[in-house]
Amino acid sequence: MKRGQPALRLKRGHEAARTHPWIFKGDVADASDVEPGSAVAVVDAGGRFVGRGFYNPKPALCCRILTWTDEPLDAAFFQRRLEAAVGLRARGHPQGAPTLCRLVWSEADGLPGLVVDRYGPVLITQCLTLGMARARPLVTAALVRVVPDASVFDMDEPHAAQLEGFSAALGWAGRAGPRTVRVTEIGATFEVTIGAGHKTGLYLDQRENRERVGALARDRDVLDAFSYTAGFACHALRGGARRAVCIESSPEAIAGARRNLELNGVTAQAEIRAANVFEELRRLERDGARFGAIVLDPPPFARSRSALDAAARGYKEINLRALRLLERGGSLFTFSCSHHVSDTMFGEICRDAAADAGARLRVVERLGQASDHPVLLSIPETRYLKGLQLEAL
Ligand code: SAH
């Protein structure tokens, strides 16, 4: 570490940053010389180098470490990290890195504050911190070198941008690519409008779970609740489901669902109900509906710790109501993507719901996010999608 460089000094006893990249304001003894959004050397109370990250005094989470080696965060650094991330996704793929995947996932790829998703010929980038937004030219240049055949579209998440104090980018970085792309996910075709929709276009984290549902759907009636663009329903119907009912409240998502069902040639067996899942589950129960497979993939009900109680009630309610619609021998795929809801807590909520529904259930599998959203043991926050595949006895 060069002398005289601005540094962020940690308080004594606040040195979790040796293995976990997050530093909160309360951990900091001094960062007075550091310019917001710039790279900073993090040192312990004795002045010894801990790591280097981007600093921003605005949010409570004021610094995320990108490296524990004393090296500059320059173009070569980003290129090395991107090569490693792409290499990880290419492992086990005979044709190299897949063309529909999360290529970079923030902390899990040693690039906190950066997400890159690949949709065929288009890479979509999301900067989640001020530092990463400022480093974007370096990131883009490195991306173009590592994945030369793709166009890059910047699509920041407005909430994160506001929290961090930068303006959210939305547009092509350099050479424009196609406005819509068709991608294939294990045989199913999805259309994605670049720059629109939730996340970066698709919920890529559910890819492997959609495949699971497709694999057991044959001859079953399937309910896809919180269906977004009908990803689960498309896989289920391609897998031979008798019919699929999608429940979704967003008009844009419903338009996408119609398109995807059509692209997969399964429109005739599908029904989309534009409704609130909470209400629609009740209506289905009143009508005596029954399903052989049910997917519950809600948005995060708990966006903060203080919202946990209300979230738990919400999860319990939908699981209870779904269990009342499940045939004997039927499968429930139930998920929570709330960071604040632990595996244990989610399991307890589902058990409570089962008790109230009078249902006995076998745990067929504990589910999580797709493998291109890797989990780091030292960063438990990287495992955020929790799910259970349950079978009604
Ligand atoms: N299963 C989807 C992703 C679901 S994301 C996939 O695999 O692609 C959650 C979806 O639930 C979003 O599309 C959101 O618009 C929708 N949603 C949120 N609250 C809802 C509610 N109360 N009723 C119906 N849909 C809801």
Side-chain angles (χ1 to χ4, degrees):
M1 200 183 105
K2 289 205 197 92
R3 256 169 220 286
Q5 271 187 353
L8 180 158
R9 193 158 48 82
L10 295 169
K11 287 181 187 160
R12 203 171 294 282
H14 286 250
E15 281 144 14
R18 287 194 193 285
T19 52
H20 192 295
W22 292 358
I23 299 169
F24 291 89
K25 278 183 188 167
D27 300 321
V28 177
D30 181 40
S32 45
D33 296 341
V34 189
E35 193 201 327
S38 66
V40 65
V42 175
V43 298
D44 66 13
R48 282 174 297 264
F49 179 84
V50 173
R52 184 165 278 114
F54 288 127
Y55 174 71
N56 182 3
K58 193 165 182 276
L61 174 46
C62 64
C63 181
R64 303 188 202 203
I65 291 184
L66 281 86
T67 178
W68 283 271
T69 303
D70 193 356
E71 58 184 339
L73 303 181
D74 56 10
F77 168 83
F78 283 105
Q79 182 158 346
R80 284 195 301 277
R81 282 284 200 267
L82 290 173
E83 277 165 354
V86 172
L88 179 65
R89 275 67 180 183
R91 257 191 230 167
H93 283 264
Q95 301 87 11
T99 55
L100 174 66
C101 69
R102 175 147 295 189
L103 267 189
V104 177
W105 193 42
S106 207
E107 278 79 1
D109 285 298
L111 289 168
L114 179 70
V115 164
V116 182
D117 286 343
R118 177 159 195 177
Y119 293 92
V122 178
L123 300 176
I124 300 193
T125 71
Q126 248 179 5
C127 290
L128 303 164
T129 63
L130 175 65
M132 199 55 90
R134 285 185 28 168
R136 179 166 248 146
L138 295 180
V139 172
T140 309
L143 260 182
V144 170
R145 252 174 271 133
V146 177
V147 192
D149 50 339
S151 300
V152 179
F153 189 90
D154 297 332
M155 186 183 180
D156 294 337
E157 210 265 298
H159 181 72
Q162 192 193 15
L163 196 78
E164 289 269 330
F166 64 92
S167 59
L170 185 71
W172 295 103
R175 172 169 51 99
R179 226 186 95 63
T180 60
V181 292
R182 284 192 186 167
V183 290
T184 309
E185 179 187 78
I186 323 156
T189 305
F190 299 135
E191 187 170 287
V192 176
T193 302
I194 303 303
H198 301 180
K199 295 232 182 184
T200 56
L202 291 178
Y203 287 82
L204 297 173
D205 52 359
Q206 286 285 24
R207 184 185 61 242
E208 290 161 11
N209 298 322
R210 284 190 287 262
E211 183 177 18
R212 266 176 188 283
V213 169
L216 70 55
R218 181 158 298 285
D219 297 330
R220 301 197 195 203
D221 289 343
V222 176
L223 178 63
D224 180 0
F226 304 97
S227 60
Y228 187 50
T229 52
F232 278 102
C234 286
H235 277 279
L237 289 168
R238 285 181 50 84
R242 259 196 307 264
R243 72 182 188 117
V245 175
C246 298
I247 313 176
E248 170 59 51
S249 56
S250 142
E252 297 79 38
I254 290 171
R258 286 222 171 83
R259 222 172 17 248
N260 286 338
L261 290 163
E262 207 172 295
L263 278 175
N264 289 285
V266 293
T267 303
Q269 300 98 282
E271 182 190 344
I272 303 175
R273 298 194 177 189
N276 181 329
V277 167
F278 286 83
E279 289 161 14
E280 196 57 31
L281 290 177
R282 266 189 229 141
R283 190 166 310 135
L284 286 164
E285 190 185 338
R286 272 202 309 275
D287 296 347
R290 284 281 180 282
F291 296 92
I294 300 179
V295 179
L296 286 179
D297 185 21
F301 286 161
R303 288 189 192 272
S304 65
R305 231 171 257 288
S306 57
L308 264 183
D309 284 349
R313 284 195 296 277
Y315 287 119
K316 180 171 168 191
E317 158 123 18
I318 54 172
N319 280 283
L320 166 62
R321 301 215 172 265
L323 285 170
R324 291 191 178 145
L325 300 174
L326 194 63
E327 288 166 358
R328 180 163 294 184
S331 297
L332 173 64
F333 295 82
T334 179
F335 298 97
S336 162
C337 59
S338 298
H339 286 268
H340 301 282
V341 175
S342 66
D343 274 296
T344 311
M345 181 177 170
F346 187 58
E348 280 165 8
I349 293 170
C350 293
R351 196 165 60 226
D352 279 357
D356 284 13
R360 286 177 304 109
L361 300 160
R362 176 183 299 125
V363 178
V364 177
E365 200 79 59
R366 292 179 189 282
L367 306 172
Q369 65 231 30
S371 52
D372 53 8
H373 295 57
V375 174
L376 298 193
L377 187 64
S378 54
I379 314 179
E381 295 85 352
T382 51
R383 176 169 154 77
Y384 68 100
L385 181 64
K386 287 129 299 213
L388 288 170
Q389 179 182 344
L390 303 169
E391 190 176 299
L393 301 175

